Amino acid sequence: MKTLRIGVIGAGGIATDAHIPGYLAQEGVEIVAICDVVPGKAQAVADKLGIPHAYESHTEMLNAEKLDAVSVCTPNFAHKQSTIDALEAGCNVLCEKPIAMNLAEGQAMVAAAEKSGKLLQIGLQQRFGAEAQLLKRFIEAGDLGEIYYGEGTYLRRRGIPGWGVFTHKNLQGGGAMIDIGVHALDLTLWLMGNPRPVSVMGATYAAFGNRPEVSSGKWAHWDASTFDVDDTGLAMIRFDNDATLILRATWASNIEASFGETRILGTGGGAKMSPLQIYSEAHDALVDITPQELPEVRGHTQEIAHFCACLRGEAECLVKPWQVLDVQAILDAVYKSSETGHEVRLDS
């Protein structure tokens, strides 16, 4: 088995806590280089984790190393250029979510992947959880019938990021909706079979982020004076098959506790997770199914295992480019709808 040579662009937490451990858990994979624009940051990570080479620009790394693939672990504003440069250098790319700052950037990235003939997979790792995979099998087997409604929820009581550039619109493209709403949206859409969106009604709020007196809970406090993104986003999305999706995402809200939940309703059954429960009827009675002893898997590790399998020709990429662009189009429409106060059509 050929050893896959991997480079990592960006040496922040998502790289050190998720991508690098994910690659290290795979057989026949070697992380040969890492880069970060902050002087000394990549070298520090390389020294700690035994990565042979460190650079202060991705172009330098791409020119110096012969890589099979890279993980793009930068803030959102750098996704587009890092990804396109890597694809043009002959590398396959696993890019963190969301695909980019906006739909136009995402489309440019997908076009570059198609031109290069290389794989571009976006880091929507919640699809790879054991419960999500099992529920998808139930749905594809027809056990839930026709899916007409989905609900994606990711609410934090307090969880505004106090590090990095998460609270800067010009560097991230948005706040809670584009950061964690993207996960709730993508997972629910995927379970629904990725119907094509036709309209979005959305609203976003900055109810907590620009108030320095608000408690940060257990999280490090953010800089309220520079906060210019949303801390809450809500939306209703309609699809070409008349299905509907309700989306809710908050970094901060006055609720009893932080939680995430996905609900799917079909004509033959319904489901929610986590934990996964499936609701149906049989023999003139209502019945509930609660799966037992599912394997314990880490989404990022499974995502990277899948990426590596795709590179070896052993699997077909689960995260399709058109699906990711639909996700980004919806996120863009949520923000536009919030700004204008009107429904945004995506089918015109």
Side-chain angles (χ1 to χ4, degrees), residues 3-269:
T3 298
L4 296 174
R5 293 171 56 83
I6 305 296
V8 179
I9 301 176
I14 197 64
T16 58
D17 298 342
H19 284 247
I20 293 173
Y23 286 117
L24 294 176
Q26 311 306 318
E27 293 185 4
V29 175
E30 180 186 7
I31 303 174
V32 298
I34 186 169
C35 65
D36 197 285
V37 296
V38 177
K41 189 171 184 178
Q43 188 63 61
V45 172
D47 291 344
K48 181 179 180 181
L49 300 178
I51 299 172
H53 305 290
Y55 300 90
E56 292 186 0
S57 80
H58 72 271
T59 53
E60 184 183 5
M61 182 181 77
L62 293 171
N63 289 333
E65 304 288 345
K66 185 173 179 56
L67 303 171
D68 293 299
V70 300
S71 268
V72 174
C73 301
T74 67
N76 297 350
F77 78 92
H79 284 188
K80 176 189 172 184
Q81 199 59 53
S82 298
T83 295
I84 291 176
D85 289 347
L87 291 166
E88 291 179 347
C91 293
N92 300 283
V93 177
L94 173 58
C95 178
E96 256 305 317
K97 61 76 188 172
I99 186 171
M101 296 272 283
N102 52 55
L103 179 60
E105 289 189 357
Q107 290 170 328
M109 293 162 65
V110 170
E114 292 173 348
K115 182 178 179 181
S116 70
K118 297 297 180 179
L119 173 63
L120 171 60
Q121 179 177 319
I122 304 305
L124 294 160
Q125 86 280 358
Q126 294 202 5
R127 297 189 187 193
F128 294 90
E131 291 186 338
Q133 288 286 317
L134 177 57
L135 178 53
K136 185 69 169 177
R137 293 197 293 273
F138 269 87
I139 292 170
E140 290 186 337
D143 293 339
L144 271 62
E146 180 182 349
I147 306 302
Y148 60 88
Y149 175 78
E151 188 172 314
T153 300
Y154 198 156
L155 305 181
R156 294 175 182 166
R157 183 168 185 174
R158 292 294 184 271
I160 297 175
W163 66 92
V165 297
F166 286 95
T167 60
H168 300 274
K169 186 175 182 179
N170 65 318
L171 300 177
Q172 287 293 98
M177 179 55 71
I178 202 170
D179 175 38
I180 58 177
V182 65
H183 280 310
L185 173 60
D186 177 73
L187 178 59
T188 310
L189 259 180
W190 176 66
L191 290 169
M192 294 176 73
N194 289 100
R196 302 309 294 259
V198 297
S199 67
V200 177
M201 189 70 186
T204 62
Y205 303 90
F208 298 87
N210 54 12
R211 296 163 54 195
E213 76 279 7
V214 170
S215 170
S216 62
K218 296 179 181 179
W219 292 52
H221 213 288
W222 66 97
D223 185 351
S225 68
T226 61
F227 186 97
D228 66 352
V229 294
D230 54 287
D231 52 44
T232 296
L234 310 165
M236 184 179 80
I237 303 105
R238 294 184 64 89
F239 300 96
D240 61 356
N241 64 351
D242 292 327
T244 303
L245 189 158
I246 299 296
L247 177 63
R248 302 184 295 166
T250 70
W251 275 344
S253 51
N254 288 323
I255 56 177
E256 64 278 15
S258 301
F259 76 102
E261 183 178 272
T262 303
R263 286 187 179 269
I264 301 292
L265 298 184
T267 56

